[in-house]
Amino acid sequence: MQFRHPKHDLYIPDETEPGVALRRVTHLGIVSHQDDLEIAAYHGITECFHHKSQWFGGVVVTDGAGSPRKGPYESYTDEEMQKVRLIEQRKAAYVGEYSFMVQLGYPSEDIKKPKHAPAIADLKFVLEQSQPKFLYLHNPCDRHDTHVATFLRCLEAIRELPPEQRPEKVYGCEVWRKLDWLLAEDKEMLWVDKHPHMLRPLLGVFDSQISGGKRYDLAEEGLRHANATYFDSHTTDKTSLLTFAMDLTPLTKDDSMCPVEYAVNYVKRLEIDVRDRVKKFM
């Protein structure tokens, strides 16, 4: 199983044969950076954890270069930090019992290039081999440039597949722009109350990020509780842990649909809702 970038890394926690490890996947997450999976695709990870017939697979497309560093990592070179982050991602895959974990190793600059052929070929290969039922991606309204670029490269790869090989459901998930602003009817509500103890261990292995003061483990746990409590003011909570996602499935069913207009239409619907609500009481 050969990926195109020399820095790629394939890890299979239970040492199953690579082809089998890909084919058994039912839930797949494709993200930009190490630890993005454990935030964006946490729903898929916990849906598959200790499940007999469901398996989670993870793809990180970039090499982790340029990450901030403090404390014990302050003097690390960029190359050394890349190695640290690669190992941390392997640790998360082990803790979460992923079916496979592939880090493609591309620089962010490559992923930002429209229709970057090597990356798209790698992504297409993973999608062809795994044919997941559920796919977790970055959402196009994220405020991190590499996240948006990764979403677009994934969409390009999906659109090279025949319809019968495409995922049944594609979620655009929260990382650097949360999705509480979506209208209620536009939210995909992902209950993440299975194995609630798993969030801190999964994110806790990314010591190079957390030791610098970015307590993603605590922030994400708090966010999930907040989403559940503040989702609706007139009903009691049905779950204590909730993440929001955007339904990207239409973009993978209709290749003529523009991802820019698709994303902006969510914002337009919010604008109409705000305008009408204020005007109603004037």
Side-chain angles (χ1 to χ4, degrees):
M1 188 172 293
Q2 185 63 46
F3 295 97
R4 285 156 182 79
H5 198 279
K7 285 187 176 180
H8 81 269
D9 179 75
L10 176 64
Y11 174 59
I12 301 171
D14 68 357
E15 300 183 344
T16 295
E17 190 274 322
V20 174
L22 264 73
R23 287 192 297 272
R24 67 186 176 183
V25 162
T26 55
H27 298 61
L28 177 68
I30 306 177
V31 296
S32 295
H33 308 102
Q34 291 86 357
D35 82 6
D36 285 345
L37 278 175
E38 291 67 34
I39 296 173
Y42 181 71
H43 176 260
I45 295 168
T46 54
E47 285 293 298
C48 298
F49 188 69
H50 281 339
H51 200 288
K52 293 182 179 180
S53 60
Q54 295 184 166
W55 286 89
F56 179 81
V59 181
V60 171
V61 301
T62 72
D63 56 13
S67 61
R69 62 210 70 169
K70 285 182 68 178
Y73 305 94
E74 194 167 6
S75 62
Y76 276 42
T77 66
D78 204 50
E79 197 68 30
E80 289 172 332
M81 278 301 295
Q82 290 178 46
K83 292 178 182 178
V84 167
R85 299 199 71 186
L86 185 148
I87 292 170
E88 288 175 339
Q89 186 61 67
R90 278 180 163 233
K91 290 178 181 177
Y94 182 84
V95 170
E97 299 181 357
Y98 301 178
S99 183
F100 75 91
M101 179 69 240
V102 61
Q103 300 181 67
L104 297 179
Y106 289 97
S108 293
E109 291 72 21
D110 285 355
I111 298 301
K112 292 174 182 176
K113 298 173 183 175
K115 300 182 179 179
H116 183 64
I120 291 174
D122 282 347
L123 292 170
K124 182 182 177 183
F125 173 78
V126 173
L127 289 162
E128 283 177 326
Q129 295 301 307
S130 59
Q131 296 189 31
K133 184 176 181 180
F134 302 100
L135 179 62
Y136 302 85
L137 304 178
H138 292 296
N139 80 80
C141 294
D142 197 292
R143 59 187 175 91
H144 194 304
D145 286 355
T146 310
H147 291 189
V148 175
T150 298
F151 151 71
L152 289 169
R153 301 298 80 80
C154 290
L155 182 60
E156 290 163 355
I158 292 168
R159 287 180 169 181
E160 289 192 7
L161 298 173
E164 65 272 14
Q165 291 186 4
R166 300 182 185 186
E168 291 182 20
K169 188 76 173 182
V170 183
Y171 296 108
C173 304
E174 302 178 296
V175 181
W176 276 111
R177 177 171 281 132
K178 303 307 181 183
L179 294 173
D180 58 308
W181 59 270
L182 290 174
L183 298 185
E185 56 267 30
D186 285 339
K187 286 185 174 80
E188 290 288 324
M189 293 170 288
L190 305 178
W191 290 23
V192 287
D193 48 7
K194 289 183 180 178
H195 314 293
H197 60 286
M198 288 296 296
L199 181 62
R200 291 195 192 185
L202 281 169
L203 286 172
V205 301
F206 296 95
D207 181 65
S208 67
Q209 305 302 296
I210 292 175
S211 65
K214 303 293 281 187
R215 292 302 305 267
Y216 294 117
D217 52 343
L218 301 182
E220 287 299 317
E221 184 175 2
L223 177 72
R224 285 153 172 68
H225 283 294
N227 282 345
T229 298
Y230 287 106
F231 170 68
D232 186 78
S233 61
H234 289 67
T235 60
T236 55
D237 297 346
K238 296 180 180 179
T239 177
S240 61
L241 295 165
L242 183 66
T243 59
F244 299 135
M246 184 182 288
D247 184 9
L248 302 180
T249 313
L251 286 169
T252 68
K253 302 299 183 185
D254 182 356
D255 292 358
S256 67
M257 190 174 289
C258 173
V260 176
E261 291 305 313
Y262 188 82
V264 170
N265 281 334
Y266 281 100
V267 182
K268 289 179 178 177
R269 289 194 288 275
L270 174 65
E271 178 187 4
I272 292 169
D273 180 79
V274 172
R275 188 186 305 276
D276 290 350
R277 194 179 312 278
V278 175
K279 287 175 65 177
K280 183 166 60 175
F281 302 106
M282 290 180 66

